[in-house]
């Protein structure tokens, strides 16, 4: 797991949140995720295939997810995660990863992304199989968003 | 000149955002589709002047739908609106006949400028 796979996702997330949610973020410390630790309450998961493969997961606690989606929807109050709110969160994951994929392509690692899957549950464990994950928190006035990147080079 | 638009995107949020931008820009949205297959079906009945087309969608992706729509009408006006702005995607879309390629996230003006330009083609 190389840091050069992680940085494009972190930089892209900061840019995209500022652009579509008018939200300034601060990057926390990069850590190796404990494989047994649960994820957050709301997670947007995207599969990656290509020169590198694995998963990227954007995790939030529920109030943070609602508050970011609300900002994406011109301040509309989000009471529950209906189709509109869920699709907004999925689209956030999609746009961040899409932008990161352009940086990865320029760095010589072309990838393809799956459509996002949303997992909403407490204490959920998502296995990335044997690929270790790096987690980076992005802090903002909405709370903390965790970016989990578990990617490894494809052996062809 | 009235100009009818069909929006194709699997995310309800993105369809609503695009509809808002397009309507405020003075165009009319005549229909929406949630995947490429539905887009091709609705293209036949709605006959929109311009289609905005996402790429990553279930069932049939936007590049396949673009190909099918251009196959139905060689003069079809399709503008890609996708988060995946990788060179290979952009090139393939333009080669297949897309009139423009907008990368998400977008500024509303970028959408309106593209639609205005494509409408005049």
């Amino acid at each position: 797991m190389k840091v050069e796979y992680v940085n494009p996702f972190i930089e892209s997330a900061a840019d995209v949140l500022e652009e579509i949610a008018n939200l300034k973020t601060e990057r926390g410390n990069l850590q190796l995720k404990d494989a047994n630790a649960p994820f957050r309450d709301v997670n947007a998961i995207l599969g990656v295939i290509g020169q590198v493969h694995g998963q990227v997961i954007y995790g939030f606690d529920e109030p943070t997810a609602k508050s970011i989606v609300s900002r994406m929807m011109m301040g509309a109050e989000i009471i529950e995660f209906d189709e509109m709110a869920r699709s907004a969160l999925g689209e956030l994951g999609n746009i961040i990863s899409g932008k990161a994929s352009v940086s990865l392509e320029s760095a010589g690692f072309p990838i393809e992304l799956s459509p996002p899957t949303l997992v909403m549950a407490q204490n959920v464990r998502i296995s990335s199989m044997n690929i270790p994950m790096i987690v980076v928190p992005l802090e903002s006035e909405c709370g903390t968003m965790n970016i989990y990147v578990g990617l490894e080079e494809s052996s062809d | 000149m009235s100009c009818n638009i069909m929006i194709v995107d699997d995310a309800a949020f993105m369809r609503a955002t695009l509809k808002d931008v397009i309507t405020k820009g003075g165009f009319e949205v005549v229909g929406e589709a949630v995947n490429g297959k539905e887009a091709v079906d609705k293209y036949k009945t709605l006959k929109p002047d311009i289609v905005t087309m996402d790429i990553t969608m279930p069932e049939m992706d936007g590049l396949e739908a673009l190909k099918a729509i251009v196959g139905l009408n060689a003069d079809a006006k399709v503008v890609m609106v996708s988060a995946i702005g990788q060179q290979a995607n952009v090139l393939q879309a333009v080669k297949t006949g897309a009139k423009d390629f907008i990368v998400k996230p977008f500024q509303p003006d970028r959408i309106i400028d593209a639609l205005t330009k494509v409408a005049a083609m």
Side-chain angles (χ1 to χ4, degrees), chain A residues 38 55 59 83 139 151:
Chain A
Q55 278 107 35
E83 193 204 345
E139 315 280 351
L151 294 175

Side-chain angles (χ1 to χ4, degrees), chain A residues 24-44:
Chain A
K24 289 222 185 300
T25 53
E26 213 154 294
R27 173 187 186 150
N29 289 329
L30 179 149
Q31 286 178 307
L32 191 63
K33 181 181 176 297
D34 172 357
N36 294 311
F39 283 77
R40 310 290 296 279
D41 298 346
V42 181
N43 303 283

Side-chain angles (χ1 to χ4, degrees), chain A residues 16 19-20 72-73 83-84 87-88 91 94-95 98-99 101-102 105 110-111 113-115, chain B residues 9-16 20 56-58 83-88 104-107:
Chain A
V16 169
E19 189 157 348
I20 70 176
M72 289 171 70
M73 294 169 60
E83 193 204 345
M84 188 66 76
S87 76
E91 198 60 17
N94 213 11
I95 295 176
K99 198 173 160 82
S101 76
V102 175
E105 183 188 42
I111 58 162
L113 298 159
S114 74
Chain B
D9 201 300
D10 59 334
F13 162 76
M14 194 45 69
R15 292 196 303 277
D20 184 57
T56 310
M57 292 183 290
I84 319 292
Q86 292 186 51
Q87 223 175 12
K104 299 172 186 171
F106 50 75
Q107 293 295 320

Side-chain angles (χ1 to χ4, degrees), chain B residues 8-65:
Chain B
V8 187
D9 201 300
D10 59 334
F13 162 76
M14 194 45 69
R15 292 196 303 277
T17 304
L18 278 169
K19 188 173 184 176
D20 184 57
V21 167
I22 291 170
T23 310
K24 282 185 181 146
F27 296 87
E28 195 178 338
V29 176
V30 288
E32 298 178 9
V34 302
N35 61 51
K37 193 174 170 297
E38 191 179 283
V40 177
D41 289 342
K42 287 196 173 175
Y43 185 82
K44 294 178 198 164
T45 50
L46 297 174
K47 300 186 168 55
D49 297 305
I50 305 177
V51 179
T52 72
M53 181 76 76
D54 185 22
I55 291 185
T56 310
M57 292 183 290
E59 296 255 356
M60 182 195 274
D61 75 26
L63 289 170
E64 285 177 66

